[in-house]
Amino acid sequence: MSTVDSVSPDATSVPASWRAALSGVLETREARRLGGFLKAEEAAGKRIYPPQGSRLRALELTPLDAVKVVILGQDPYHGAGQAHGLAFSVPEGVRVPPSLVNIYKEIASDCGAPAPGHGNLERWARQGVLLLNNALTVEEGRAGSHQKVGWEALTDAAVAAVAARAEPTAFMLWGNHARKKAERVPGLTGGPHLVLTAPHPSPLSAHAGFFGCRHFSQANDFLEANGRGAIEW
């Protein structure tokens, strides 16, 4: 049974490996405001994605001490059955979203790995790829609706916790929102980490530099050079 089963994050719902790093944030007024907001939205009958039990799935599948790569998304998919707690990922049986189609195309070009035929990225998460959105919930049909309601404090702290560790980690920053989030993390650049930037993989911007960025092979070369082992994309 998942330990992540509350409406909003608190000390008991956050996976154990992340609690020390995030405990300070969970005690703030902003976290309490987030909890109240989510409860009020659901009490009003609004559909919130992903469902309770999977909102902190990225932290659950990728413990802090296992993070090798960080990929930052903006917010969850806002269609029924799509979001399940991992950035860019959808459950098996759900149509692969366009951005992930483009991610798979770049992996095929960069690493020679074929697309798996589904959009479930849990296999990456279990290898140490933290697939973290900026906001961890969204209202059905309203992209970006839960930005700036309190999630950023938690997800900023999670990124900062990874950046503060001595273990070399690859950060893939796609699009302006990911770069801006990384800019809020002190000490991310200039440390032991590899920071890779590119346009977002969406159909609107993938041809502006995401295709050909070779982030996946660069990350693996970096991880292997630092004795951390490559990701099987």
Side-chain angles (χ1 to χ4, degrees):
M1 179 177 176
S2 171
T3 60
V4 185
D5 55 9
S6 63
V7 173
S8 58
D10 58 36
T12 60
S13 67
V14 170
S17 74
W18 291 92
R19 284 178 195 162
L22 303 182
S23 60
V25 173
L26 297 172
E27 296 168 359
T28 63
R29 180 181 300 176
E30 192 168 18
R32 291 194 295 273
R33 182 168 68 91
L34 170 63
F37 169 81
L38 291 174
K39 290 174 183 177
E41 292 289 281
E42 296 190 333
K46 295 181 180 180
R47 292 184 181 273
I48 307 299
Y49 300 131
Q52 294 182 37
S54 58
R55 293 171 184 172
L56 302 182
R57 186 69 168 156
L59 304 183
E60 185 179 22
L61 290 183
T62 312
L64 176 56
D65 60 4
V67 177
K68 296 181 178 181
V69 177
V70 177
I71 296 178
L72 299 177
Q74 191 160 7
D75 59 355
Y77 297 119
H78 54 81
Q82 292 181 302
H84 67 143
L86 303 176
F88 295 103
S89 180
V90 293
E92 292 189 39
V94 175
R95 181 173 176 267
V96 180
S99 291
L100 184 53
V101 169
N102 288 338
I103 290 170
Y104 284 159
K105 287 179 179 178
E106 176 59 21
I107 291 172
S109 174
D110 186 19
C111 304
H118 60 79
N120 191 330
L121 302 181
E122 289 188 3
R123 182 173 61 87
W124 293 5
R126 295 182 191 281
Q127 293 180 76
V129 181
L130 180 64
L131 296 162
L132 188 69
N133 280 313
N134 187 47
L136 300 186
T137 54
V138 69
E139 182 182 341
E140 181 178 43
R142 295 187 61 215
S145 53
H146 289 186
Q147 298 286 338
K148 299 183 180 179
V149 300
W151 281 119
E152 288 82 359
L154 181 77
T155 56
D156 282 3
V159 175
V162 178
R165 301 181 73 242
E167 288 77 5
T169 301
F171 288 77
M172 297 185 184
L173 309 179
W174 301 332
N176 289 332
H177 73 275
R179 287 194 290 271
K180 288 178 181 178
K181 189 173 189 67
E183 287 170 2
R184 299 199 292 266
V185 177
L188 177 56
T189 57
H193 309 302
L194 175 67
V195 179
L196 302 168
T197 63
H200 195 275
S202 76
L204 295 175
S205 55
H207 289 280
F210 177 77
F211 289 138
C213 69
R214 301 190 66 244
H215 281 188
F216 302 94
S217 63
Q218 289 185 68
N220 274 351
D221 289 347
F222 172 79
L223 292 171
E224 289 187 314
N226 284 280
R228 302 207 66 197
I231 303 297
E232 185 181 335
W233 304 109

